[in-house]
Amino acid sequence: MSDNVVHLHKHPDPPNTADTRPKLTVVPEQPAAPVVPLWVRSGRAIKAAVTHETTKSAARAAARHTLYTLNGARIVAKRTWDSRTAARYERMLRAAEAAGNYEAAAEWEERGQRFREARHRRRMDLLHSPVDAAKGMLVGTGMGIGSLVALGVVLAIATKDATDVVTPLMAVVEFIQLLITIVTIVWGPLITIGPFLTLLGLWAVGRHQQAAPQWALPANVRNGEGEPITPSIVVKALRDLGIPALSRAIKEMGDAGASMLSPIRIAGCGVEVDVTLPSGVSTIEVQNRRRKLAENLTRHEHEVFITIPQAARTVRLWIADSGALDEPIGPSPLVTDETLTADYVKGKAPWGQDLRGDAASLSLYQRHLLITGLSNQGKTAALRALALWLALDRTVEFRIADLKGAGDWAMFDGLATVLIQGPTDEHVIEATEMVEGGVAEMERRLQAPPGTTFPPLIILVDEAQVAFMCPVVDEDKRPYGGSKATSRYFMAARKIHNQGRAVNVLLWQGTQDPTDQNLPKLVREGAHTRAALALGTESQARMALGDKAVDGGAAPNLLRPGLDKGTVVVASDGIDIPAGQSSITVRTHYIDTDTATEIVERAKRMRDGVTTLHAIDRGEEHDPLTDIASVLGNTPRVLTSDVLKRLSALNEKAYGRWTPSDLKRVLEAHGAEPYKSDGRMVVGRDRVMRALANRDGNDSASTAQ
């Protein structure tokens, strides 16, 4: 038979043709749909029914409640066994021995022996109790009957009826008969429902203990969202870490591991607990399993912090409330208190909150600072928050180089004596010479008479990695970047790190994505306060904070980029760190640019007026009188010491070694000598401008002649 069917179709006539015969076309026959066997359709239906979520939920519920009852019976049996035997004392004894606490082990052994002695006495008493009970029953019964008969005699005398002698005795007999009737009625139903009540009690015990596999528990319990941290949860999480020695020790402990834990303490937005590890388990093994421990505790990795306290073989766990670290902290005191001032020597900068919710304040007194992290994690905002607080101390001078140039430090214009903003090689050159000017100021102070006090000078370089990576060399073939002995920025930073602290010349640096190339080892180790935001690797964390902090539990590489913005791990003696820890995690206050500008304006009002230099003159030719006029700005009077510092910042080569005598000599030559104001030598702006105008006028006249 042919596979094709012939159909007749009448096609429309084509134009200009006389052929009107019908055309024959061959249309292929459509194949028939395959027939699905009945057993296949039935199998699919059964599979759909079995895998349906309702079926799964029903199966889980049935398994859960069955296991509640079975495991409840096991729990009750264990409790009963413990109450009747010395098993509990044996377990506690083994737990103390496993923890190496032999004093506690001896105490539990003594308690167990006392329990056995008391149990022996009870059993010996049971041997004599039947005889004693029989004797007591006979004596009691005789006395009871005698009392009832005596009561009947008294009643008979009162009623003058001899039959009332047995009335009390018969009343007791009738009462006993009533009790027997009640018991006969109740006994049948009680025997019937008794097993069900027993099963219900066992089910309640199992349900209270959640005695079922994790897959069978309800969804809200399986997810564990917001589940409070209890000793049993912590012990179970440790047991399931995958450390064989720890798992064995917990199983051998009589208290199932509870003796390892200190009391769980509320600590801010979470809880804190110390865990004394059994012999054979090191703290590093627990630290290396932070993620698994967090998951066992039904938390995210960033919500569990592991540190090493002073006690030997102990780890300290801080476990956040679920989702608490994603909530913002309050505003900075710099924002809420407009009367707040700073004290460089005795005060501490309000930087944020630690994980316990306590205020975290940082002392900046004579401490070089380094803060690093990945890009766009809040490094500049965290560094700026410290500078904003310190700016409220009117004695502090800032020289700032922002090698990003995005305007994050623009509000310091008019407060900082030097403000460089930009990412180019030219800006790096200016920043390098600014730091070298700080070196010159440091050396001048070091040569001052003993006992001389100096106001703090903060040399701040943000995005310092740009300076270290700069390829430009000067006319003497000395590179500005790099980490060689001839590298200008590197050597200037090292000099300030070595001696600047003693005379209050401090270097603050902010860098991103640290490596050995863009953050040399000698520079990062010269900082007294080291802070790190989110980093990519543990090796970067070690660069940022040092080996000691990382070995002690500091883990900025485990912070979540983008989600933990502004959270820093700090290693410094300028901040209160819990005893035994080498670092602390701080959630810093965020101060936006507009608010930062308002704070700087408050700081400016505390000062007489500061002229900010935006570029450093590096030319060989210079005009001292013109330079003096430029650094005076619009301030009517400036202290001679401040004029010298500004001149040094303007041109360190020309004015770095100037003394007050040099300044006086130049000004006297033009008739603008310094004078005393309120007992201190000052330079008057009007005198300098008048001298400059007279000199320019004389020069013009000479030229005309």
Side-chain angles (χ1 to χ4, degrees), residues 1-18:
M1 182 178 292
S2 174
D3 291 335
N4 296 327
V5 179
V6 178
H7 298 275
L8 294 177
H9 291 280
K10 181 67 177 287
H11 291 274
D13 293 336
N16 302 324
T17 180

Side-chain angles (χ1 to χ4, degrees), residues 546-563:
D547 292 336
K548 180 181 178 181
V550 175
D551 291 339
N557 52 301
L558 297 180
L559 295 174
R560 302 167 298 167
L563 297 176

